[in-house]
Structures are given as structure tokens and as C-alpha cells.
């Protein structure tokens, strides 16, 4: 016989023999018994023997020889001449009845491996994939059947398989296919498509169910996950690991019936398998014929097909958005031409007229089916759902659930690894994809999208950037700007430590270039959108930008202390701690709170009068007198490249994080010792830590500047304390003639008596008129007065003018200067 002659001539190479022993766990006796040999060109020397003993028709029918195109001569099949192991299929007499090159096949139908098991007669056998695993099962002492591919005999060739096991007298089978990880890209056989990751489990079930239907007692065994090496374990792999016969016996003893096997798998796997199995056994009255949907119609005993479309549907992916699930579909016409992919809303999916209009709008597509036909088609498509899910987060930048910074053109994970998107701008994770989407901006009836941030990976000299900015706005201002911009990318860690993050406030006279510089800062994060006008942009809109740009800044431009803007101060203050306003929902109970994920970059000619908001800001002043060189054209030309700063920081963030946090905590303690409160100490520590993370050091002169500047700012903030505002407002009102002397009495040589309720009432009314917001409460002012120098007591009854009043009393010798000036006392400058 041809196969026996070929096997008798074959020789096993040393390399292949070593592979069988080390990788498969076979010993020399097993290798010899199963007659493995190596393919190779050496077989050509036996070509004459085959041609002399067999006719061309017989040689071609065996698959050992082929006839190339445009040739009259038959030759050895190329698969046999490759350097690979050739596996003989042996009968009970140990004669070769078939051969198969490893991982390939000849041009003839596949066979079951192999009739050698007929040498034994017990009714139990293991069913495994491939010949080597069947040999391993025999080494363990079991009758073992090997099939070349787990799906090869589960469906089309099943009856051929049944004929084999009936001939072998087998009544009980344990299916023991591979246990392999296919949902992790770290392993060799990773499958991007979730629907293709669990073929082993699927075909195990299908084969077991089919065998049970034929009266064979069939169960499914599973190798322990702990046996995996490089993500995989199989029967010959277990033999190579020197697993014992008892180990295999335990697996067989724990094997489960098909239903229990499925139920024992993780829920995610069950979901996919249940869909695949439901599709396999699904029966529908709508079918596809020549690229068209055809519905089977019935009336009485009559039955006829009706063409209901000139196209078919293909679901590309399922997008999970903040608004719900959207299917991305393609229409394929009857000639096989594909449309572009597009999102399909839910309404056209279930209403025939809406669906007909929808597909007509996409091209020459005609739909004539019913609502029931649509439902049937979607049911079938959902069963075919490959599990490919694309998440569309409602934000860009830091995506906390995924531990990555996501931009439009690339993503960077927490280890600094860069992830590239596919051609559809989808970043694929192990089990699903992420797609960045722009934030939608409505303008009248139209809606446009603000561009997704894109960052540059092309290296740019950051020291040169610092030099050019220094020549534009000054050294220390530049250092603060670059320190803050770097620290923004550490925002999550800073919030974990202190639950806050400072705003950057860029101020300067009109025409100084403050807004332009703020736009350059935004370009460092790949954000090309302009600033949001403080007066025209609502607090709700700003909050949505802050939710969209996660661990990134939102630019608010043209801040002024006008009523239209200051009414948003309360909201802006809360952003410092990522607090946002709640909004009622339609239900009788509950609120919805918008997310705040980013921080604020603010510019304006004047800083906030609101002291609480000002203390949340680090302020830099842009003064064109400090400009020594005009780099405007250079920055505009290289604007898109500035985002290399973000790329650089995120790439090295993991390595620098420990040092950053040490500098952050150390800086906070340093500024606290300078007399700053915790908030200001944290603000300036963030700047220093950010600068050090970017450039690797914190220059002494910059450190001294921050210490000095923090003291100046503290004094400025102290001046804007509630009492300072109260005293100075009273002086201004006195100058404008809005106060009269019957509000106090300073005739006593040692003491001053203030009619506080009257003063507060007039001041509060004026404050509301000027600022458009509520003033400090009377109780708060009274409390702060107790802390003022010279305070004696409250509620001292004193006649002021014609009436006795309850007054606040101060000693003249150490009363606040503003109070002495108010009551017309001599004030020492």
C-alpha cells in the first residue's frame, strides 16, 4: 500500500525526535511504536519506487502525489517535502493506512486517528484534538481518539465519526480538548474577536450533545488552569509536564455532562456560547438567497417565498454610549457591494416604514418586509453577535476604568506603553474596544463637535520651549506655567493625596497676550479649542467641559468681577475639590450629578474679588514689558508639536511618580512652615513638584521665588479677608456720602462704639448692588470682629445721637487702622 511504503521509507530526524520527547513527553518506544518520520526532499529518491509499484490514478487518489498545473508529470505533494513531522495513521496490525503532515493535510478527506485502538476492546475512550494528544492518551493507558481539528467531525463529518466509534465498540467518551487562554494578547493564540475565543468550549458541547443523541454516554473534561504553560495545556503537554495517570483519571472522574459543563464556565463565556448555540439551533422563516432577504409566506396549506429586500445587513459592532447602545451596520447589496458603516438608531430597527426610509437614504436599498420580518432578522443577527463591544466613554484624557490616558490618535497606559488605534480610531483592549468621541456643541439648530485632543509623539526640545516662553513672559512665570501644566497630568494622584487641585489664573492688561499664552498651554494637552467666554458660557456648560476633559484643563477666558460672571463663582470654587451641582431627575426621588474630572485654566484682566476663589488659584501675570523676544510666529507654527510635553510626561510618569509624590508632600510641609494655610501650601507644592518632574530639578532661585511669592500672595489674600472687605467698603461708602456719623461714637478718650446692626444693614445692601451676590452673613462678620485687634465686647448699650444702641466696642489704642480712619481719629501711617 502507498502509505505503508512511504512510512517504511521515512526517517525521523534527530531534531524532530528531540521535539517529540521534550515537547510531547514521548519516550523512544512510543515514538517507534507510532512510526513517526520526517518529511523532506530526501523522499524524492524513492519517487521511482512509487511510480513503479502504483498507477498514476492510485497515487493521485492517495494525495501523496499531485499533478501541478500545466504539467503532464505527477510529483510528490509539497507538504511531504517540508521539514515537518509526518504522522502515519495505523491499523490494528500497525500498518499505515493514511498519513498527515503535522498541521497540514493532503488533498484528500480527513480521517479519524486511528484504527490502532482496535487492538483493545474496552468501551471507554478519550476524544482529543490531533494525533499527538491521542498518542499521549495511549501512553496514559486509555483508548484515545484524535481528530484533526475540534470542529472537523462535530457537524458535517459526524456520521463518519460515529461509524468509527461503532466499529471500535465504544460506548463511553470523555472529551478532553485543550485548555487555552485566548482572551489575553500576552499569549500566542490571542483572538481579537470574542466570538472566536471559545471554539474549544463550543465544539466540546456540540460534539457531546450529538454523541448523547446517538446513545453514547459522553462527558466533557477540563484540564486545571494551574497546568497552563504560556497560556495553554493539553494532553501531550500534561505528559511533558510529567503529570501522572492518576491526575488524568481525576480529570475524567470530574467530567461533566454538556449542560453542567457550560454552567461551570465564567458568565462572560456562557453568554457567548449561549448565543452561538442558539444560533446553531435557530430556525427562521426569513433566509438569505443571492444577497437578498427572502421570507417564507404561508396561507392555509400554501407556502411560497417572497423577496423582501435587495440587500442584507451586517452588524459591525455594538457601541455602548452614555445615551445607550447603538449598532454600527453595513448594508450589502445583492451584487455584494458594501456600503459605508453607519450607526443605526433603535426606531428604524423595529418599524418597517422608518427602516425603509432609513436604508433608502443610504443608497439604492429597498425594503418590502413587515415589522415581524424585521424582528426575525434582528433576532438572527443578535445571535450572530460576535460580542465585539465598543465602549464610547463620555470623556477623553484619563479613563479611570481602563487606567489609560486616551486621546484621538493614541493612548498611553499607566505603565507608559503607547496603544495605537485601528483605522476606525478604536483602541482595542483584551475583550472590547474604546472609541473616543468629541463633545457635542449645539449652535442654534446645528450641532458641531469640538475636536478630540490629539497629542504629538514627535520629540521637541522642552528646554527650548522654556527658553522661548521665558523670553516671552519672564522666567518665574514660565516656570510656574510649565510646573502647573506637568502637574495636571498627575492630577489623579494629587486628588488621592489632598482631594484638590489648583487652578492656573493668567492675568494681564488688554493686549498683553495672556489669552494667546493660555491657548499655548492648552495646546500642550493637544486641545485646540479656544477659551470658553466667562460671561457667555453657563456653569452647566463649563461643568460638561470639565467632565469631558478628564485630568486635563478647561480654558475659561475673559474673567471679570461682573455680576454675570461672579454668579458662577460658587460653582467654580467647587471645581477645586471636584464637586458639582446636582440636578433633579424626572423621578419623584433622586438627583443626577454631573462629573467634574478636570481643572480650570482661567485668564482675565482682573483676578477674582471672591477671596475663596482666588485662594484656589495660582496666579501668573503676563506683562509685555518682560518680553525680550517676540516668539509669536514660532509658537503658532509649532503649536501642534507642543503636545509632546504631554506625551513625554505620560511616558515617564510611572518611573517618576514616587519622586513626584515625595516632592509634593515635602513642598507642602515647606510652605506650611512659611505660614501658609494648607490650601496655599498645596497649591505651591503642586507647582514645584510638577516643575521637578519635567526638568529633573527645582532651581534654588525658583524655589526662593515661590516662597517669596507665596508670602506676597498670603498678604494679598489676608487683605481680602471678610473683615478687610467690610472695613474698606465702609470707608468707600463714607467717601461717597452713603454713611453718616450716627453709626458710631468716638467721643470717649479710650473707646470706640459702633452701631453694628445699622452699619451692617447699609453695607449689605450696597454689597448686593455692586457685586450681585449675597454678602457675608452678619453672624460671620461679628465672629471675625472678635478676632480684630482692640476688640472689647458686643452689645454694649450706648446712646448714639438721640437713641440708645447696642454697640460693638474697640479700644482706640490698638483698633484697626481702617476703623480709626472711619471714625475720623488720628491714624499713624
Amino acid at each position: 500500500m502507498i502509505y505503508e511504503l512511504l512510512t517504511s521509507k521515512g526517517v525521523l530526524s534527530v531534531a524532530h525526535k528531540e521535539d517529540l520527547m521534550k515537547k510531547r513527553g514521548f519516550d523512544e518506544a512510543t515514538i517507534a511504536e507510532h512510526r513517526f518520520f520526517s518529511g523532506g526532499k530526501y523522499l524524492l529518491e524513492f519517487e521511482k519506487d512509487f511510480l513503479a509499484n502504483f498507477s498514476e490514478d492510485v497515487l493521485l487518489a492517495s494525495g501523496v502525489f499531485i499533478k501541478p498545473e500545466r504539467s503532464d508529470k505527477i510529483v510528490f505533494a509539497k507538504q511531504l517535502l517540508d521539514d515537518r513531522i509526518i504522522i502515519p495513521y495505523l491499523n490494528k496490525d500497525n500498518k499505515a493506512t493514511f498519513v498527515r503532515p503535522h498541521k497540514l493535510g493532503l488533498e484528500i478527506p480527513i480521517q479519524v486517528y486511528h484504527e490502532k485502538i482496535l487492538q483493545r476492546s474496552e468501551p471507554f475512550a478519550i476524544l482529543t484534538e490531533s494525533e499527538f494528544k491521542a498518542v499521549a492518551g495511549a501512553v496514559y493507558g486509555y483508548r484515545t481518539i484524535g481528530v484533526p481539528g475540534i470542529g472537523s467531525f462535530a457537524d458535517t463529518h459526524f456520521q463518519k465519526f460515529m461509524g468509527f466509534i461503532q466499529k471500535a465498540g465504544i460506548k463511553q467518551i470523555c472529551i478532553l480538548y485543550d485548555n487555552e487562554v485566548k482572551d489575553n494578547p500576552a499569549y500566542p493564540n490571542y483572538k481579537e474577536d470574542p466570538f472566536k475565543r471559545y471554539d474549544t468550549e463550543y465544539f466540546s458541547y456540540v460534539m457531546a450533545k450529538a454523541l448523547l443523541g446517538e446513545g453514547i454516554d459522553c462527558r466533557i473534561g477540563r484540564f486545571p488552569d494551574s497546568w497552563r504553560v504560556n497560556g495553554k495545556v493539553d494532553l501531550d503537554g500534561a505528559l511533558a509536564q510529567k503529570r501522572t495517570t492518576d491526575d488524568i483519571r481525576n480529570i475524567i472522574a470530574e467530567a461533566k455532562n454538556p449542560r453542567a459543563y457550560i454552567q461551570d464556565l465564567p458568565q462572560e463565556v456562557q453568554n457567548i456560547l449561549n448565543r452561538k448555540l442558539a444560533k446553531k439551533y435557530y430556525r427562521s422563516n426569513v433566509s438569505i438567497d443571492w444577497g437578498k432577504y427572502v421570507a417564507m409566506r404561508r396561507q392555509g396549506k400554501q407556502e411560497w417565498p417572497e423577496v423582501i429586500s435587495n440587500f442584507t445587513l451586517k452588524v459591525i459592532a455594538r457601541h455602548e454610549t452614555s445615551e445607550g447602545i447603538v449598532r454600527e451596520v453595513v448594508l450589502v447589496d445583492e451584487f455584494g457591494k458594501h456600503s459605508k458603516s453607519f450607526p443605526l438608531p433603535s426606531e428604524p430597527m423595529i418599524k418597517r416604514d422608518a427602516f425603509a426610509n432609513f436604508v433608502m437614504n443610504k443608497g439604492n436599498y429597498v425594503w418590502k418586509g413587515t415589522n415581524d420580518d424585521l424582528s426575525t432578522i434582528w433576532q438572527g443577527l443578535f445571535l450572530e453577535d460576535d460580542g465585539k463591544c465598543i465602549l464610547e466613554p463620555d470623556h477623553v484624557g484619563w479613563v479611570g476604568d481602563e487606567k489609560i490616558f486616551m486621546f484621538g490618535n493614541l493612548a498611553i497606559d499607566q505603565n507608559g506603553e503607547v496603544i495605537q488605534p485601528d483605522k476606525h480610531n478604536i483602541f482595542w483592549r483584551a475583550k472590547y474596544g474604546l472609541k473616543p468621541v468629541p463633545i457635542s456643541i449645539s449652535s442654534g439648530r446645528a450641532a458641531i463637535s469640538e475636536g478630540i485632543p490629539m497629542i504629538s509623539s514627535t520629540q521637541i526640545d522642552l528646554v527650548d520651549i522654556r527658553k522661548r516662553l521665558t523670553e516671552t513672559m519672564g522666567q518665574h512665570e514660565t516656570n510656574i506655567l510649565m510646573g502647573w501644566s506637568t502637574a495636571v497630568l498627575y492630577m489623579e494622584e494629587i486628588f488621592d493625596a489632598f482631594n484638590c487641585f489648583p487652578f492656573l489664573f493668567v492675568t494681564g492688561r488688554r493686549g498683553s497676550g495672556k489669552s494667546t499664552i493660555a491657548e499655548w498651554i492648552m495646546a500642550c494637552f493637544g486641545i485646540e479649542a479656544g477659551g470658553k467666554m466667562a460671561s457667555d458660557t453657563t456653569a452647566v456648560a463649563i461643568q460638561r467641559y470639565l467632565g469631558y476633559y478628564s485630568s486635563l484643563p478647561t480654558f475659561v477666558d475673559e474673567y471679570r468681577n461682573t455680576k454675570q460672571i461672579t454668579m458662577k463663582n460658587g460653582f467654580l470654587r467647587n471645581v477645586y475639590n471636584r464637586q458639582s451641582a446636582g440636578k433633579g431627575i424626572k423621578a419623584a426621588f433622586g438627583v443626577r450629578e454631573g462629573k467634574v474630572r478636570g481643572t480650570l485654566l482661567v485668564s482675565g484682566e482682573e483676578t477674582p474679588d471672591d477671596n475663596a476663589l482666588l485662594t484656589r488659584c495660582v496666579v501668573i501675570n503676563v506683562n509685555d514689558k518682560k518680553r525680550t523676544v517676540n516668539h509669536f510666529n514660532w509658537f503658532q507654527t509649532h503649536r501642534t508639536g507642543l503636545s509632546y510635553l504631554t506625551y513625554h510626561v505620560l511616558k515617564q510618569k510611572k518611573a517618576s511618580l514616587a519622586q513626584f509624590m515625595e516632592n509634593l508632600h515635602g513642598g507642602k510641609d515647606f510652605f506650611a512652615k512659611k505660614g501658609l494655610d494648607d490650601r496655599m501650601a498645596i497649591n505651591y507644592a503642586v507647582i514645584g513638584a510638577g516643575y521637578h518632574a519635567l526638568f529633573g530639578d527645582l532651581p534654588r532661585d525658583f524655589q526662593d521665588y515661590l516662597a517669596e511669592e507665596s508670602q506676597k500672595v498670603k498678604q494679598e489674600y489676608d487683605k481680602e479677608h471678610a473683615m478687610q472687605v467690610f472695613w474698606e467698603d465702609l470707608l468707600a461708602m463714607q467717601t461717597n456720602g452713603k454713611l453718616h456719623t450716627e453709626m458710631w461714637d468716638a467721643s470717649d478718650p479710650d473707646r470706640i462704639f459702633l452701631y453694628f446692626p445699622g452699619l451692617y444693614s447699609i453695607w449689605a445692601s450696597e454689597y448686593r448692588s455692586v457685586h450681585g451676590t449675597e454678602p457675608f452673613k452678619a453672624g460671620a462678620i461679628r465672629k471675625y470682629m472678635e478676632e480684630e485687634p482692640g476688640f472689647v465686647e458686643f452689645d454694649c448699650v450706648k446712646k448714639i445721637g438721640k437713641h440708645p444702641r447696642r454697640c460693638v466696642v474697640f479700644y482706640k489704642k490698638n483698633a484697626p487702622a481702617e476703623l480709626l480712619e472711619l471714625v475720623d481719629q488720628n491714624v499713624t501711617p
Side-chain angles (χ1 to χ4, degrees), residues 497-510:
F498 299 122
N499 194 38
C500 63
F501 190 87
F503 313 145
L504 184 67
F505 199 109
V506 183
T507 188
R509 298 176 60 184
R510 181 177 295 277

Side-chain angles (χ1 to χ4, degrees), residues 26 80 161 210 237 267 363 374 379 392 609 648 673 744 828:
F26 301 161
L80 297 171
F161 178 74
Q267 188 61 51
L374 267 179
Q379 185 178 358
E392 295 183 1
D609 286 342
H648 170 77
K673 290 176 182 177
W744 59 78
T828 302

Side-chain angles (χ1 to χ4, degrees), residues 474-654:
Q475 177 183 353
H476 298 310
E477 290 80 1
T478 293
N479 292 348
I480 290 175
L481 182 155
M482 298 193 79
W484 182 84
S485 298
T486 302
V488 165
L489 300 168
Y490 291 82
M491 191 185 303
E492 298 305 314
E493 291 78 11
I494 294 170
F495 261 95
D496 286 343
F498 299 122
N499 194 38
C500 63
F501 190 87
F503 313 145
L504 184 67
F505 199 109
V506 183
T507 188
R509 298 176 60 184
R510 181 177 295 277
S512 62
K514 60 186 180 299
S515 295
T516 300
I517 288 172
E519 289 177 358
W520 294 345
I521 298 172
M522 296 298 289
C524 290
F525 301 97
I527 302 173
E528 289 299 317
K532 321 305 173 191
M533 299 304 294
S535 58
D536 300 331
T537 310
T538 66
V540 171
I542 295 173
Q543 183 231 286
R544 289 182 179 173
Y545 286 117
L546 287 162
Y548 179 70
Y549 293 110
S550 176
S551 285
L552 298 172
T554 293
F555 176 24
V556 176
D557 199 7
E558 296 295 337
Y559 182 92
R560 288 192 178 92
N561 290 298
T562 62
K563 182 177 181 180
Q564 189 177 9
I565 295 174
T566 57
M567 64 186 295
K568 302 165 191 165
N569 283 352
F571 163 74
L572 298 178
R573 288 195 301 266
N574 288 340
V575 173
Y576 182 78
N577 303 104
R578 281 188 175 170
Q579 298 172 349
S580 62
K583 184 178 181 180
I585 59 177
K586 291 183 179 180
F589 179 78
V591 295
R592 180 175 59 197
E593 186 174 29
K595 292 283 187 181
V596 172
R597 300 185 179 96
T599 189
L600 288 170
L601 168 62
V602 188
S603 75
E605 290 184 56
E606 55 181 344
T607 56
D609 286 342
D610 184 328
N611 186 61
L613 178 57
L614 189 59
T615 59
R616 288 162 166 79
C617 301
V618 174
V619 180
I620 57 174
N621 183 268
V622 178
N623 189 336
D624 53 9
K625 292 181 180 179
K626 292 186 177 182
R627 191 167 301 143
T628 58
V629 181
N630 189 336
H631 289 295
F632 175 81
N633 290 335
W634 187 93
F635 275 106
Q636 292 299 96
T637 301
H638 295 83
R639 185 166 175 156
T640 57
L642 296 178
S643 59
Y644 174 74
L645 181 146
T646 292
Y647 180 85
H648 170 77
V649 171
L650 294 179
K651 283 281 289 178
Q652 55 82 47
K653 180 178 175 181
K654 182 180 180 181

Side-chain angles (χ1 to χ4, degrees), residues 680-785:
M680 290 184 60
I682 292 169
N683 292 352
Y684 281 91
V686 165
I687 301 299
Y691 185 92
H692 189 283
L694 186 61
F695 295 111
D697 69 337
L698 186 62
R700 182 70 187 202
D701 62 333
F702 182 42
Q703 190 174 5
D704 292 341
Y705 171 81
L706 287 177
E708 180 182 343
E709 184 67 11
S710 65
Q711 290 298 321
K712 289 181 181 177
V713 171
K714 181 178 184 299
Q715 293 173 10
E716 184 68 22
Y717 290 170
D718 287 345
K719 286 182 180 179
E720 297 188 6
H721 187 270
M723 279 309 304
Q724 193 70 28
V725 171
F726 182 70
W727 294 131
E728 296 203 1
D729 281 358
L730 290 178
L731 286 170
M733 291 165 63
Q734 183 186 52
T735 301
N736 294 330
K738 296 181 179 179
L739 285 180
H740 50 82
T741 56
E742 290 189 358
M743 292 293 164
W744 59 78
D745 185 304
S747 59
D748 188 285
D750 299 318
R751 295 182 296 174
I752 300 171
F753 299 86
L754 292 179
Y755 175 37
F756 176 74
L759 281 172
Y760 178 83
S761 177
I762 297 172
W763 171 78
S765 177
E766 180 71 7
Y767 189 95
R768 291 188 190 95
S769 175
V770 172
H771 298 282
T773 58
E774 285 300 306
F776 299 105
K777 293 182 179 180
I781 299 294
R782 287 170 61 93
K783 186 175 184 302
Y784 293 142
M785 275 190 170

